[in-house]
């Protein structure tokens, strides 16, 4: 493996840039893919359509599963590096409150983290630069470049100004492999006919930042019910679930999510639900319209590999572009980071192949490895999403599940996907068996 100082840089040929790999999208998945490939000595161009710092709608909370990947990537993760650490999850619902530490298993760190996405994404993109990748901001990729056989061999990007307007200049980036880490809409994947699968769950996340004394909370907080007051003073239960994640910088990320398995999906003003929920919070939290630091924003959450195939004809999908969001809890960063490592490993091996046919055979392993890693787990999560979309089932689960601490510890381990990965106790072995025996998503 070369050091970043020795890593080769992409070659410019007129208005065409040549590289070993082009990565489109500098979110966590794209930046991690570029970082791993650069560490392996590959010439990598990482294209970002806007300029940093820039925001993305997300809960900003990282479970130990994501933390493990950042440590593996040698990203500094100390609190002095700008991260807020947390000890576990606090669950509130049915008039009850349960606080659980992250599971103590050898497979994962014992802490989670949080960091605002306007800072997190740039932090990881700059790390990719330090590893040797070439980060190019304000490059809005519009279409793939295809060879005579219909295989992706590059992309065309519009050059954008600092104000976000197209300059009229276009640049072509060519490489034997292109990674689409370009988000839920994935212009590249759609251009090749890879539409979203309707048989996979989809969610909507709504969030905003608020200044609050709760910004140093040691636990991420999950609200299984969203209550507000009606005009007559009566309590009203609204659709969805909510969260509060302290960022340690004076702010908390507060948001809510709803799944398309709910009857309220697509028929609800989610931002209004957010405002009404926030208005019902205790005064001592200091969370109100007066302490909000920016607009309420929303985004789609593509789940359970909802766009496939994950690799075909030179284009490989990482993160939201491939629907790599956990249906149990809406997490996506950890699965994007894991996919990035697998993608880079497979691509590096493929680029050493002696022929195009051999290269393609190696690249196809990415699909198999991702399904082996998460296919069964995502399938179970998809069925879980169907169940909790039914209000009566959610009420029963809250009423009879929360008082049982042992059961809830198991559910935390399952929903956050944090079992001991080999061996372990009975709960670990049950989760291992469930995910192994479930049909791959």
């Amino acid at each position: 493996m070369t050091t970043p100082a020795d890593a080769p840089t992409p070659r410019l040929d007129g208005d065409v840039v040549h590289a070993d790999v082009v990565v489109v999208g500098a979110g966590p998945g794209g930046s991690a893919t570029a970082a791993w490939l650069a560490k392996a000595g590959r010439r990598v161009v990482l294209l970002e359509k806007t300029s940093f710092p820039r925001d993305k709608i997300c809960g900003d909370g990282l479970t130990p599963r994501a933390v493990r990947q950042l440590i593996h990537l040698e990203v500094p993760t100390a609190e002095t590096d700008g991260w807020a650490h947390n000890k576990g999850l606090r669950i509130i619902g049915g008039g009850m409150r349960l606080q659980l530490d992250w599971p103590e298993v050898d497979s994962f760190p014992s802490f989670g983290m949080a960091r605002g996405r306007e800072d997190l994404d740039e932090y990881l993109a700059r790390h990719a630069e330090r590893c040797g990748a070439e980060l190019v901001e304000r490059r809005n990729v519009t279409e793939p470049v295809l060879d005579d056989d219909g295989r992706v061999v590059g992309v065309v990007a519009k050059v954008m100004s600092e104000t976000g307007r197209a300059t009229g200049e276009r640049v072509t980036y060519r490489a034997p492999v292109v990674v689409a880490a370009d988000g839920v809409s994935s212009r590249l994947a759609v251009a090749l006919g890879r539409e979203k699968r309707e048989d996979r769950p989809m969610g909507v996340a709504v969030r905003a930042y608020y200044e609050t004394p709760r910004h140093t909370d040691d636990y991420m907080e999950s609200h299984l019910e969203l209550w507000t007051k009606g005009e007559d003073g009566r309590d009203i239960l609204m659709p969805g679930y909510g969260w509060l994640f302290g960022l340690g910088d004076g702010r908390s990320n507060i948001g809510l999510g709803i799944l398309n398995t709910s009857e309220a999906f697509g028929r609800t003003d989610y931002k209004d639900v957010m405002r009404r929920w926030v208005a019902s919070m205790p005064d001592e939290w200091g969370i109100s319209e007066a302490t909000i630091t920016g607009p309420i924003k929303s985004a789609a959450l593509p789940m359970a590999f909802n766009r496939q195939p994950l690799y075909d004809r030179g284009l490989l999908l990482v993160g939201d572009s491939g629907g790599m969001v956990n249906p149990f809890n809406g997490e996506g960063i950890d699965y994007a980071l894991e996919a990035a490592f697998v993608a880079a490993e497979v691509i590096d091996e493929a680029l050493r192949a002696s022929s195009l046919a051999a290269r393609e055979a190696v690249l196809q392993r990415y699909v198999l490895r991702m399904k082996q890693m998460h296919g069964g787990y995502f399938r179970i999560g998809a069925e879980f999403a169907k169940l909790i979309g039914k209000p009566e089932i959610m009420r029963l689960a809250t009423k009879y599940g929360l008082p049982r601490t042992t059961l809830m510890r198991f559910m935390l381990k399952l929903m956050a996907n944090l079992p001991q990965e080999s061996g372990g106790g009975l709960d670990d072995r049950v989760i291992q068996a469930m995910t192994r025996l479930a049909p791959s998503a």
Side-chain angles (χ1 to χ4, degrees), residues 8 78 87 185 189 209 232 237 242 290 334 375 435:
K87 298 177 180 178
S185 298
Y209 295 109
D232 57 1
L237 180 61
D334 40 5
T435 56

Side-chain angles (χ1 to χ4, degrees), residues 51 78 82 186 229 235 270 289 429:
S51 58
S186 191
K229 292 287 186 182
D235 291 330
Y270 309 117
E289 287 296 316
R429 295 195 297 274

Side-chain angles (χ1 to χ4, degrees), residues 9 30 78 96 159 161 172 188 195 222 239 277 288 307 316-317 364:
T9 56
M96 291 169 283
V159 178
S161 70
T172 298
L188 287 176
E195 299 290 346
S222 175
W277 179 45
S288 68
R307 184 177 276 116
L316 185 149
L317 310 184
Q364 287 293 341

Side-chain angles (χ1 to χ4, degrees), residues 19 46 72 138 160 164 192 204-205 238 247 263 316 327 342 366 376 421:
L46 175 60
H72 187 203
R138 300 193 300 275
M160 310 300 289
L192 294 181
V204 169
M238 299 180 293
L247 301 180
E263 291 183 359
L316 185 149
V342 175
Y366 175 70
E421 292 182 326

Side-chain angles (χ1 to χ4, degrees), residues 24 74 85 143 182 196 228 233 258 312 323 326 353 356 400 431:
V24 180
E74 299 180 306
H85 285 200
E143 60 189 284
D182 51 347
K196 291 179 289 187
T228 190
I258 188 168
D312 186 41
N326 183 347
L356 178 59
Y400 294 106
I431 294 172

Side-chain angles (χ1 to χ4, degrees), residues 30-217:
S31 291
T33 305
W36 282 119
L37 285 165
K39 281 174 172 282
R42 296 299 175 183
R43 295 179 296 180
V44 188
V45 175
L46 175 60
L47 304 177
E48 169 58 36
K49 68 179 180 180
T50 60
S51 58
F52 290 112
R54 59 106 171 98
D55 194 14
K56 184 175 180 182
I57 292 78
C58 178
D60 300 348
L62 306 180
T63 68
R65 191 172 193 99
V67 175
R68 178 177 69 169
Q69 288 301 313
L70 294 179
I71 293 171
H72 187 203
L73 190 55
E74 299 180 306
V75 173
T77 57
E79 290 181 285
T80 53
D81 295 307
W83 300 94
H85 285 200
N86 55 68
K87 298 177 180 178
L89 181 67
R90 184 183 303 115
I91 306 169
I92 297 173
M96 291 169 283
R97 170 189 176 106
L98 181 63
Q99 189 164 284
L100 300 171
D101 288 347
W102 296 119
E104 294 184 9
V105 294
D106 295 336
S107 300
F108 301 99
S110 61
F111 63 96
M113 301 193 304
R115 189 179 193 127
R117 283 298 294 270
E118 77 280 1
D119 182 43
L120 169 63
D121 286 18
E122 181 172 14
Y123 192 74
L124 297 182
R126 301 303 177 200
H127 182 75
E129 275 192 308
R130 289 190 293 273
C131 291
E134 180 181 346
L135 171 65
V136 187
E137 299 172 64
R138 300 193 300 275
R139 295 296 184 271
N140 186 5
V141 172
T142 58
E143 60 189 284
V145 176
L146 306 179
D147 65 11
D148 292 340
D149 297 320
R151 187 178 186 281
V152 178
V153 291
V155 298
V156 177
K158 293 188 295 187
V159 178
M160 310 300 289
S161 70
E162 292 186 5
T163 60
R165 296 180 178 274
T167 65
E169 182 183 357
R170 296 163 70 89
V171 181
T172 298
Y173 296 86
R174 295 184 67 96
V177 182
V178 174
V179 175
D182 51 347
V184 59
S185 298
S186 191
R187 182 178 292 180
L188 287 176
V190 171
L192 294 181
R194 295 187 221 178
E195 299 290 346
K196 291 179 289 187
R197 292 183 56 160
E198 298 301 326
D199 62 341
R200 297 292 190 262
M202 176 70 77
V204 169
V206 180
R207 73 99 173 97
Y209 295 109
Y210 294 81
E211 293 179 347
T212 168
R214 298 201 57 193
H215 73 100
T216 57
D217 197 333

Side-chain angles (χ1 to χ4, degrees), residues 207-359:
R207 73 99 173 97
Y209 295 109
Y210 294 81
E211 293 179 347
T212 168
R214 298 201 57 193
H215 73 100
T216 57
D217 197 333
D218 284 335
Y219 288 81
M220 298 201 297
E221 191 166 278
S222 175
H223 289 246
L224 303 184
E225 299 168 330
L226 302 178
W227 292 95
T228 190
K229 292 287 186 182
E231 292 182 0
D232 57 1
R234 289 189 301 174
D235 291 330
I236 298 174
L237 180 61
M238 299 180 293
Y241 62 92
W243 67 78
L244 287 86
F245 298 161
L247 301 180
D249 61 359
R251 302 175 301 157
S252 285
N253 179 313
I254 300 176
L256 61 90
I258 188 168
L259 294 167
N260 65 351
T261 54
S262 168
E263 291 183 359
F265 187 86
R267 293 190 260 169
T268 301
D269 183 340
Y270 309 117
K271 294 182 181 180
D272 181 61
V273 172
M274 175 82 167
R275 294 186 190 97
R276 294 168 69 189
W277 179 45
V278 165
S280 72
M281 291 179 179
D283 292 340
E284 60 267 25
W285 291 4
I287 299 170
S288 68
E289 287 296 316
T291 62
I292 195 169
T293 63
I296 299 173
K297 296 182 178 180
S298 62
L301 297 176
M303 299 176 171
F305 295 145
N306 80 329
R307 184 177 276 116
Q308 298 181 25
L310 298 178
Y311 172 77
D312 186 41
R313 292 183 291 156
L315 183 70
L316 185 149
L317 310 184
V318 166
D320 285 0
S321 66
M324 298 179 187
V325 173
N326 183 347
F328 280 106
N329 60 11
E331 288 180 278
I333 293 177
D334 40 5
Y335 299 96
L337 294 173
E338 290 179 346
F341 176 72
V342 175
E345 196 171 57
V346 169
I347 291 169
D348 183 49
E349 181 181 352
L351 292 177
R352 294 196 299 269
S354 58
S355 67
L356 178 59
R359 181 194 301 162

